[in-house]
Amino acid sequence: MSLKAGIVGLPNVGKSTLFNAITKNGVLAANYPFATIEPNIGTVIVPDKRLDFLVNMYQPKSVVPTYYEFIDIAGLVEGASNGEGLGNKFLGHIRDVDAIVEVVRCFDSKEITHVTGSTDPIRDIEIINVELVLSDLEIAQNRLGKIEKKAETTKEKSAVQECEILRKCVDALSKNKPLRNCGFDAEELELLKNFNFITLMPIIYVANTDEETYLSGDNEYTLKVKEYAKNDNAAVVVICAKMDYELSLLPDEEKDEFLESLGVKESGMDRLIFATYDLLGLATFFTSGKDECRAWTFRKGTNAQNCAGLIHSDIKRGFIRAEVTSFDDLYELKDEKKVQEAGKLRVEGKDYQMQDGDIVYFRFNV
C-alpha cells in the first residue's frame, strides 16, 4: 500500500530539518527560501514495539516492518496560487499526497530569518491555507463552467450530480472553508476523488519550537496553533525539529537513554509518525512465524478478505477463513498454545473487519 504524507509550510520554518529527522536522509536544510525545489521523498518505518515482541518470540529469518512515505515539498509563499514563488509547481506536488503535514514556526530566532520578518504562526497557517483554498476554487470553478451547460442541456444524471457537488465546493471555498470540513457523504467523496482537491485532504499541524519549550510543554505560539487546529478539526504535534534531528543521528539505545534522562517517553518524530499514520486512517495487522514476522498496513474498516489481498491476490481469491489472535492476548500469555487453550484464537470469515494489532493466519484454496 503506497501512502504519502506531504510536509508543507512557509520557507525556513524547519520542514527539511524535520524531514531529515524522520528519514535520516540528510537532504539540504538551508537558511534561505526555496532551498528545497524538487520534492525530497523518504520512506519512514513506523516504529512498533509489537513487532519487536513477535521478533523476540519467533526469532524469524526475515523481519518486515510497515512504512509509508514522507515528501518534503518546497516552501510556499503568499500568491502561490497565482504563480508566486514556485507557485503551480508546489501545488502540483502537493496534489500527489494523501495527507498534509503543515509545519509552523513557533520559536523566535535572530539567526534564522523568517520570510515575513516576524514569528506569527496563525498568520503563517492562514497564508498557506488561503493559497490552498484559492487553488482548489480555481479548479472547481473551471470544471463547473464546463459541466454546467451539459447538465442543463442533457439533464444527464451524472452531470447534474457533478454540478450540484461542485456548486457546494465553490460555495464553501468562496467562504475560505476547506473542503475537508464540509461533511460530504461517501458518494460525494467518491465523485470528488477525480479532482485531487488539496483542501479535502486530512491535515496535521506541526508546531516546531525550541528545545526549552518542547521539554516544558507549550509557549504562546504553540497554544495558538492548538486553538486554531481545534476549530479546523485538525491534530497538532509539538516538536523541536533541531533536537529530533540530533536524536536521529544517535544509535537507538543511546537515543532511548537520552530521552529517558529528559523524562520523555518518545521523541517528537515518533509522535508525528504515529499521528500521521492515524490521520491517514491506517492500522496494522501482523503475520508471524519462524520464516517471517511482518507488519501489514491497512485502512481501518477493511475486511479480512481484502486484507488477505494485501499479501497476495491468490489468498484473497481463494479465501476460506482467517485465524486471528489479538496481540494483547499473545502478549499476556506469551505462547501460541496457551492462547488456543484459553479459547483466544478466533476463526473469522471474509466480512470480519480487521482490527489494529490482529495477528492473522489466512486459510485459502486456489
Side-chain angles (χ1 to χ4, degrees):
M1 180 179 287
S2 178
L3 294 157
K4 300 174 184 176
I7 302 174
V8 303
L10 293 176
N12 297 349
V13 297
K15 299 186 318 304
S16 294
T17 304
L18 170 66
F19 180 83
N20 291 346
I22 292 172
T23 65
K24 302 180 187 178
N25 271 8
V27 301
L28 175 65
N31 180 24
Y32 56 88
F34 310 125
T36 304
I37 297 177
E38 292 301 327
N40 297 298
I41 300 174
T43 300
V44 59
I45 292 173
V46 179
D48 198 322
K49 294 189 183 299
R50 298 172 299 183
L51 182 61
D52 297 339
F53 175 86
L54 294 174
V55 169
N56 287 332
M57 173 179 281
Y58 291 100
Q59 297 295 309
K61 298 172 186 172
S62 171
V63 180
V64 184
T66 189
Y67 60 91
Y68 58 93
E69 289 182 338
F70 270 99
I71 302 176
D72 178 27
I73 299 170
L76 181 66
V77 295
E78 193 169 2
S81 57
N82 293 319
E84 293 295 325
L86 295 174
N88 293 331
K89 195 167 190 177
F90 168 95
L91 296 165
H93 291 318
I94 198 173
R95 290 191 191 282
D96 292 334
V97 304
D98 301 290
I100 299 170
V101 176
E102 186 168 327
V103 184
V104 188
R105 178 165 160 173
C106 291
F107 64 91
D108 295 314
S109 172
K110 293 178 181 177
E111 288 75 36
I112 302 173
T113 58
H114 193 292
V115 71
T116 60
S118 63
T119 305
D120 184 342
I122 304 307
R123 175 204 59 209
D124 295 354
I125 287 173
E126 290 182 343
I127 286 173
I128 291 175
N129 290 359
V130 164
E131 295 303 325
L132 302 184
V133 163
L134 290 174
S135 178
D136 279 355
L137 179 59
E138 182 180 10
I139 288 173
Q141 287 176 328
N142 287 345
R143 178 58 184 168
L144 183 59
K146 293 176 181 176
I147 196 70
E148 222 166 10
K149 193 170 183 180
K150 180 180 178 181
E152 290 171 1
T153 306
T154 66
K155 306 297 182 186
E156 187 180 307
K157 185 180 177 182
S158 61
V160 171
Q161 284 179 328
E162 188 175 338
C163 261
E164 287 174 356
I165 194 170
L166 284 172
R167 287 191 187 109
K168 279 189 191 179
C169 292
V170 169
D171 181 60
L173 294 166
S174 297
K175 296 172 183 174
N176 198 28
K177 183 179 181 180
L179 298 179
R180 63 180 167 272
N181 292 334
C182 290
F184 294 118
D185 62 32
E187 186 179 353
E188 289 172 323
L189 288 173
E190 189 61 32
L191 193 153
L192 289 172
K193 276 183 183 178
N194 300 323
F195 298 101
N196 288 337
F197 285 129
I198 299 172
T199 64
L200 197 58
M201 297 175 189
I203 189 169
I204 187 167
Y205 293 108
V206 175
N208 183 24
T209 188
D210 53 39
E211 186 173 334
E212 183 181 349
T213 300
Y214 174 69
L215 295 175
S216 63
D218 284 299
N219 61 21
E220 60 173 311
Y221 300 134
T222 61
L223 290 172
K224 286 178 180 178
V225 173
K226 287 181 177 181
E227 187 62 30
Y228 184 96
K230 194 187 301 181
N231 296 326
D232 195 20
N233 297 313
V236 176
V237 174
V238 178
I239 65 155
C240 172
K242 181 176 181 291
M243 186 178 85
D244 274 298
Y245 172 63
E246 291 167 355
L247 275 171
S248 75
L249 302 177
L250 298 175
D252 287 342
E253 189 176 326
E254 289 183 32
K255 172 184 166 184
D256 291 341
E257 288 176 1
F258 183 68
L259 287 172
E260 191 176 337
S261 72
L262 296 174
V264 178
K265 290 184 178 179
E266 57 189 359
S267 70
M269 292 304 97
D270 286 350
R271 289 208 311 276
L272 175 59
I273 290 168
F274 292 135
T276 309
Y277 198 67
D278 186 62
L279 182 72
L280 288 166
L282 305 178
T284 304
F285 73 86
F286 302 93
T287 52
S288 57
K290 293 293 183 184
D291 287 331
E292 181 183 81
C293 285
R294 182 164 184 161
W296 299 87
T297 299
F298 69 99
R299 290 197 181 276
K300 293 174 184 176
T302 305
N303 66 32
Q305 186 173 26
N306 285 326
C307 280
L310 296 174
I311 300 174
H312 199 285
S313 57
D314 284 349
I315 303 177
K316 177 181 178 180
R317 183 163 55 89
F319 181 94
I320 298 172
R321 64 181 181 271
E323 296 173 3
V324 183
T325 300
S326 165
F327 173 82
D328 290 342
D329 290 333
L330 183 61
Y331 182 77
E332 180 185 350
L333 297 170
K334 305 291 191 292
D335 184 270
E336 279 186 358
K337 191 174 180 182
K338 289 180 180 178
V339 169
Q340 292 180 35
E341 290 170 351
K344 299 289 188 179
L345 175 64
R346 309 190 313 275
V347 176
E348 303 287 0
K350 63 182 181 180
D351 294 327
Y352 166 70
Q353 284 198 358
M354 295 285 284
Q355 300 299 306
D356 184 56
D358 280 347
I359 303 167
V360 191
Y361 183 83
F362 291 106
R363 298 285 184 181
F364 68 103
N365 184 28
V366 290

